[in-house]
Amino acid sequence: MIGGAVMAGMTDPNRIWTEAAGRLKTEIGDGPYSSYIAPSAVRVDSQGNLILVTPTAYARDWVRKNALRRMNELWLGLDGLARRLEVRCRAEMGSVPPAAASREAPRLASISAPAPAAAAAPAFSAPAFAPATDGARAVRAAGLQERLTFDSFVEGHGNAFALAIAKQVASWADGHFNPVFFCGPYGYGKTHLLNAIAWEAQRLRPDAKVVYLTAERFLSTFVRAMQDRSTAAFKESLRSADMLLLDDVQFVGGKTSTQEELLNTLTALIEDGKRIVLSADRAPMALTDVEPRLRSHLAAGLTCPVEAADRSLKVAVAQSRLNALAQLGVVSGEARAEVLEHLIDRTPGSMRELEGAVNTLAAVAGSRLSALTVDEVQTLLGAALRTGPERRITVDEIQKTVAEHFNLKQADLLSERRTRAIARPRQIAMYLCKQHTTRSYPDIGRRFGGRDHTTVLHGVRKIEELMPKDDQIARDVEALTRKLRG
């Protein structure tokens, strides 16, 4: 360790900060250091004061509360001029240049973990959006899918509002909400909307930096950056974006350091007036595995639900997919209406599953598409579509599956207990019985502890009413349907 007397004679802020930052890192740990100290830089204001400039106001407040006192103790012990550090955020500094205002305070770059001067530059490759003109390779590198544009998005009752908001964001219109958060069951168009926004936003502003990432890629890239000691490059790659789109945010739940980094990134972008678009399988405040402060930021803009598709939208999606395949020469002609209806009945899950069924039909049908009957489709696709009506689902099976899903006993669903924790699963079970069996309302009631048919009718209608409004119930029904159909 360098002796205190020698160190106290230093006046070069670069050397002082390198030594002080190294000591501070060992005291506060890698996580807080990487999040709050590493992205900061020392500057000199117009009065010659040394200022630690943080990227965001949130980081400034954290440093003031948790590290500034110790930082000044370290600084005063090293600085021969006995100067003190103040802390401000980037927005407060305005256009103040890097430290070059005095001979004792030469220019300072953003400080990362102390490293030898000859250390190689980090090998981190910033995730960037690539315009369509860069070709398919660039598109794949950016994580975007070429076919997911506004032109290929099928509008319906459940997604009309989400589509309108997506187009507004993509147009760079002033006065938009920030962040915009799309939420809803998987497989109903959230990823499609984020892709479409990215394509359109880049088309309208070719010079803008539009970054699209899945939460999984955000997580893996951040972890790799920490391992490679290139977190500063990672932060800069995101915080220099004009628009950041992050898909499937629910997957950052339970990962503390990643959530901290995401929170700081969102705060920095919002303070700089940049656009943020996110998606998850539920509303922000329902992301119980996500840290409360981050949930609060996610919910601060506009939460825009993407609801499960109704039957008319499913028909339109199936027809749209067949049209796209026809343009590629996979099929010719048009499918009969009853064939599409049958296909939809056989795939009650997400839109992705429906598109998969349409692809299977197209591959089997080819030029015979318009001639296929329902019976032929049944024969040709019986083995391919695993959710066929030949699979007989019983009331007893539904009760057991629902009870297991909600961590209840089957007897709880048949009991007289009316607590919400039991009543709602019971109504869901009744709804599933009506959807997947041929039992009448009175028969279902008898199998639920001898209840009246009006009780069953009320329960079924209640779930039908709640599904478009409550994404948790929609997810539960969808998950249970998948379990029941194998």
Side-chain angles (χ1 to χ4, degrees):
M1 180 176 176
I2 301 176
V6 175
M7 296 300 295
M10 288 200 306
T11 59
D12 181 358
N14 281 297
R15 294 179 59 197
I16 297 171
W17 179 249
T18 298
E19 178 68 21
R23 296 185 187 181
L24 186 65
K25 182 180 180 182
T26 62
E27 295 180 12
I28 68 176
D30 289 345
Y33 180 88
S34 297
S35 296
Y36 303 108
I37 308 302
S40 303
V42 176
R43 300 285 187 261
V44 173
D45 67 8
S46 57
Q47 285 77 42
N49 300 314
L50 287 177
I51 311 293
L52 180 70
V53 182
T54 62
T56 67
Y58 180 82
R60 175 203 62 198
D61 294 342
W62 187 94
V63 170
R64 282 178 178 167
K65 181 179 179 181
N66 299 283
L68 185 58
R69 179 177 177 180
R70 180 54 180 158
M71 196 180 295
N72 269 307
E73 289 176 353
L74 292 170
W75 190 278
L76 289 172
L78 298 170
D79 186 4
L81 300 179
R83 293 166 292 187
R84 296 182 66 88
L85 273 178
E86 300 178 32
V87 60
R88 299 179 196 167
C89 68
R90 189 181 301 154
E92 292 174 319
M93 294 297 288
S95 59
V96 174
S102 71
R103 275 175 258 177
E104 291 82 15
R107 180 186 177 95
L108 295 178
S110 295
I111 306 297
S112 184
F124 171 74
S125 177
F129 173 84
T133 53
D134 289 345
R137 180 180 177 184
V139 172
R140 287 195 297 272
L144 293 167
Q145 299 181 54
E146 226 169 340
R147 71 182 185 90
L148 299 184
T149 65
F150 285 129
D151 288 340
S152 62
F153 191 87
V154 181
E155 182 177 355
H157 176 73
N159 62 29
F161 176 64
L163 178 59
I165 294 299
K167 288 182 175 180
Q168 178 183 343
V169 175
S171 70
W172 301 93
D174 292 333
H176 77 297
F177 298 94
N178 203 26
V180 172
F181 193 103
F182 295 101
C183 61
Y186 86 95
Y188 285 101
K190 301 186 301 297
T191 295
H192 194 146
L193 286 175
L194 263 65
N195 273 251
I197 291 171
W199 288 120
E200 182 67 5
Q202 193 72 70
R203 185 186 70 81
L204 293 174
R205 282 184 53 184
D207 59 327
K209 182 178 180 181
V210 181
V211 177
Y212 169 88
L213 285 172
T214 63
E216 187 277 332
R217 189 178 178 195
F218 176 90
L219 172 62
S220 63
T221 308
F222 176 59
V223 170
R224 187 171 68 250
M226 292 182 67
Q227 293 171 343
D228 296 343
R229 295 177 176 268
S230 57
T231 53
F234 174 82
K235 296 171 192 290
E236 177 60 25
S237 71
L238 296 183
R239 298 178 192 185
S240 61
D242 296 295
M243 179 182 291
L244 173 65
L245 303 103
L246 191 62
D247 205 0
D248 289 328
V249 175
Q250 71 271 10
F251 291 122
V252 303
K255 301 169 180 66
T256 304
S257 60
T258 306
Q259 292 185 56
E260 195 74 44
E261 176 57 30
L262 178 56
L263 175 61
N264 293 336
T265 297
L266 298 182
T267 304
L269 289 173
I270 290 173
E271 287 187 350
D272 289 343
K274 305 302 177 62
R275 314 296 174 95
I276 301 171
V277 187
L278 310 116
S279 80
D281 63 354
R282 71 207 84 158
M285 299 312 291
L287 298 172
T288 54
D289 290 339
V290 172
E291 196 268 340
R293 290 178 304 155
L294 178 55
R295 285 206 308 266
S296 178
H297 276 68
L298 297 177
L302 172 65
T303 299
C304 188
V306 181
E307 299 175 0
D310 57 19
R311 193 172 188 82
S312 61
L313 179 55
K314 288 184 176 182
V315 171
V317 167
Q319 189 61 63
S320 174
R321 183 59 182 159
L322 281 175
N323 292 341
L325 292 171
Q327 292 178 4
L328 295 173
V330 178
V331 293
S332 59
E334 295 185 1
R336 297 179 180 181
E338 59 268 25
V339 167
L340 289 184
E341 294 281 350
H342 176 72
L343 206 63
I344 289 167
D345 288 337
R346 297 288 298 275
T347 51
S350 72
M351 304 297 268
R352 289 197 187 103
E353 294 171 7
L354 176 59
E355 285 198 349
V358 173
N359 292 339
T360 303
L361 174 66
V364 171
S367 60
R368 296 185 57 246
L369 179 62
S370 58
L372 283 181
T373 66
V374 171
D375 289 340
E376 287 179 299
V377 171
Q378 175 78 21
T379 301
L380 290 170
L381 304 184
L385 300 180
R386 59 181 175 81
T387 58
E390 69 277 359
R391 166 84 162 84
R392 183 172 178 268
I393 300 173
T394 66
V395 172
D396 182 67
E397 183 183 359
I398 290 172
Q399 291 174 344
K400 289 178 179 178
T401 304
V402 171
E404 180 183 2
H405 182 81
F406 289 100
N407 295 317
L408 301 172
K409 298 177 180 178
Q410 186 176 358
D412 292 330
L413 301 179
L414 311 184
S415 71
E416 294 297 324
R417 295 173 64 187
R418 298 182 180 180
T419 60
R420 187 180 183 87
I422 294 176
R424 191 68 79 218
R426 182 187 293 133
Q427 290 176 331
I428 290 175
M430 291 176 175
Y431 169 83
L432 292 171
C433 286
K434 192 58 185 170
Q435 291 293 311
H436 301 293
T437 75
T438 59
R439 301 294 180 181
S440 64
Y441 286 116
D443 196 8
I444 295 173
R446 284 192 294 271
R447 292 168 181 264
F448 277 82
R451 285 176 164 78
D452 186 83
H453 78 280
T454 57
T455 302
V456 180
L457 178 61
H458 170 75
V460 171
R461 288 181 175 174
K462 186 65 176 177
I463 298 304
E464 290 176 339
E465 174 190 334
L466 289 175
M467 281 179 63
K469 304 175 183 177
D470 191 320
D471 55 355
Q472 183 60 57
I473 288 180
R475 284 196 307 275
D476 287 332
V477 170
E478 185 177 338
L480 286 164
T481 297
R482 290 199 304 272
K483 289 180 182 179
L484 289 168
R485 291 191 172 273

